Amino acid sequence: MGIHNKTVAELVQGLKNKEFSCVELTQNYLQRIKTSNLNAFITITDELALAQARDADEKIAKNQSGALTGIPYAHKDIFCTNGIKTSAGSKMLDNFIAPYDATVSYKLNQQHLVMLGKTNMDEFAMGSSNESSFYGAVKNPWNQNKSPGGSSGGSAAAVAARLVPFATGTDTGGSIRQPSSLCGITGLKPTYGRISRYGMIAYASSLDQAGPITQTAQDAALVLNAIAGFDEKDSTSARREVEDYTATLNDSIKGLKIGLPREFFSEGLDDDVARVVMTAVKVFESMGAIVQDISLPNSKFAIPTYYIVAPCECSSNLSRMDGVRFGYRCENPKDLEDLYLRSRTEGFGAEVKRRIMIGNYALSAGYYDAYYLKAQKVRHLISDDFKKAFKTIDVVMGPVSPTTAFDLGAFTDPVSMYLADIYTLSANLAGLPGMSIPAGFAQGLPVGLQMIGNYWHESKLLNIAHQFQQITDYHRQTPDGL
Ligand code: GLN
């Protein structure tokens, strides 16, 4: 097994046992990144990485290492990284060098991890295919004609192709879980507020949440330990103690109550995907779990609700990109009006403009009550469905995406792409933790199983996922030639 196929947990052991140095490890990954043709990276930070690696080796030699000292990783290019380009996949921020670190970056630096670079993503995290990136689409390592999913497509493709042991992602409506599903890896979106949003370029502030993209649930637990926690710089981060997410990985899941929402298994779900998901559910039954049919009746409103709330919030968040303070500025503006207009016209891509326009429309006087306020009310109903369900079950299971990875260019109209978010949006609208784990293959492509847990039940999700990964090896399978 190549060094690049090792999990984070295995690399930690390898570094500790001096099987390789952190500099060697880092060089190995940088080499893989540079020879890859997936377009998974926007920026490769090789000099910084080697400096951090030397530093980590020193810490290890002096026995001063923490849990993840010397572990290489990549950041989705939505996290501000001090002195390093942070583009959010947009022409608007193509020239933006972040003047500070996001809290997630800060924490990983403090713990002496090694950042290899910044990964490609849909522009401002808007999209499900990575095709809205100013830097071009990312290719799915399982089949390069296919999309890796989005918006954290670069992070997911990089982990699946073993270009990095783990990467960060963000999930506003599925952007960690869906690309993890389509690339055959493990992705966790924690409860809203578990990880600080400070320095994470905002898309829809009431929905955005960061999380780890890894090979295994054990690795997700290790990374979550490193990045979770209250942050006084983010008023929506939770004042709640960080557990040791690795502590309960080995607990038995006998008697676990799994709810299968019938709305997640209806029309539109690919038969082969449904078959893989149900086979995975049977594996849980064989481990002593009890399966129950449930209903989340309002989840059918998740798409219209999300596609009001998210554009409204993004239209407000993106108003700061005005060509004045930072980012793209048009050439030779005639006057201030022209500066705003042309900077935004030239700096934003089509999908971002579409959402800004929808958001501004829905928030305007006279429409606010009919759209935004109404959407917020339906959002409550969606949360209430889950609250009710969690009175009788421990975890919701279902598909992540209605299909396996689709061809690049397959979606020609935006609405059909929005419809494919049907299974992921509800968890964000309710603020609940969700996960995608490799559950099998259909048409030669990976299929993820989605698990949604109750608030703050990250440990439970990780425990369930880890137990599944103890008796299956889907998470160990790699695209050809790796
Ligand atoms: N596909 C969804 C959207 O385009 C979700 C994206 C995300 O989670 N960032 O809004």
Side-chain angles (χ1 to χ4, degrees), residues 464-477:
I464 301 167
H466 182 69
Q467 290 307 305
F468 185 76
Q469 294 180 344
Q470 295 307 99
I471 59 166
T472 60
D473 74 345
Y474 305 119
H475 59 290
R476 281 296 195 177
Q477 299 194 26

Side-chain angles (χ1 to χ4, degrees), residues 76 78 122 124-129 150-152 170-178 203 208 306-307 310-311 351 355 417-418 421 424-425 428:
K76 184 177 183 179
I78 199 166
D122 277 299
F124 288 107
M126 297 174 199
S128 312
S129 70
S151 66
S152 314
T170 61
D171 191 312
T172 303
S175 282
I176 289 176
R177 289 160 288 156
Q178 184 256 19
Y203 164 11
D208 297 343
Y306 174 89
Y307 280 100
E351 186 58 33
R355 304 218 186 170
M417 191 177 302
Y418 302 166
D421 293 339
T424 50
L425 302 175
N428 301 79

Side-chain angles (χ1 to χ4, degrees), residues 59-174:
K59 289 268 171 316
I60 295 169
K62 289 189 197 146
N63 263 331
Q64 294 171 343
S65 52
L68 295 182
T69 300
I71 297 299
Y73 73 101
H75 256 318
K76 184 177 183 179
D77 205 17
I78 199 166
F79 291 93
C80 284
T81 40
N82 193 6
I84 297 159
K85 171 169 157 175
T86 301
S87 74
S90 181
K91 178 179 177 186
M92 187 57 101
L93 295 180
D94 183 46
N95 63 2
F96 178 62
I97 309 290
Y100 67 104
D101 276 323
T103 294
V104 171
S105 316
Y106 175 81
K107 286 191 172 220
L108 295 177
N109 286 338
Q110 288 291 307
Q111 296 168 68
H112 305 285
L113 281 83
V114 174
M115 188 180 81
L116 301 170
K118 310 284 297 279
T119 60
N120 202 347
M121 54 179 284
D122 277 299
E123 185 176 9
F124 288 107
M126 297 174 199
S128 312
S129 70
N130 232 285
E131 291 165 294
S132 77
S133 169
F134 173 62
Y135 303 93
V138 177
K139 295 174 187 160
N140 189 314
W142 292 89
N143 175 338
Q144 301 208 2
N145 297 319
K146 307 272 180 192
S147 164
S151 66
S152 314
S155 286
V159 174
R162 310 300 192 238
L163 307 181
V164 291
F166 84 90
T168 57
T170 61
D171 191 312
T172 303

Side-chain angles (χ1 to χ4, degrees), residues 4 32 478-482:
H4 54 271
R32 293 183 65 76
T478 52
D480 274 350
L482 288 178

Side-chain angles (χ1 to χ4, degrees), residues 269-284:
L269 177 62
D270 178 279
D271 288 341
D272 292 332
V273 171
R275 187 178 39 74
V276 170
V277 168
M278 287 316 295
T279 309
V281 170
K282 295 240 158 58
V283 172
F284 284 107

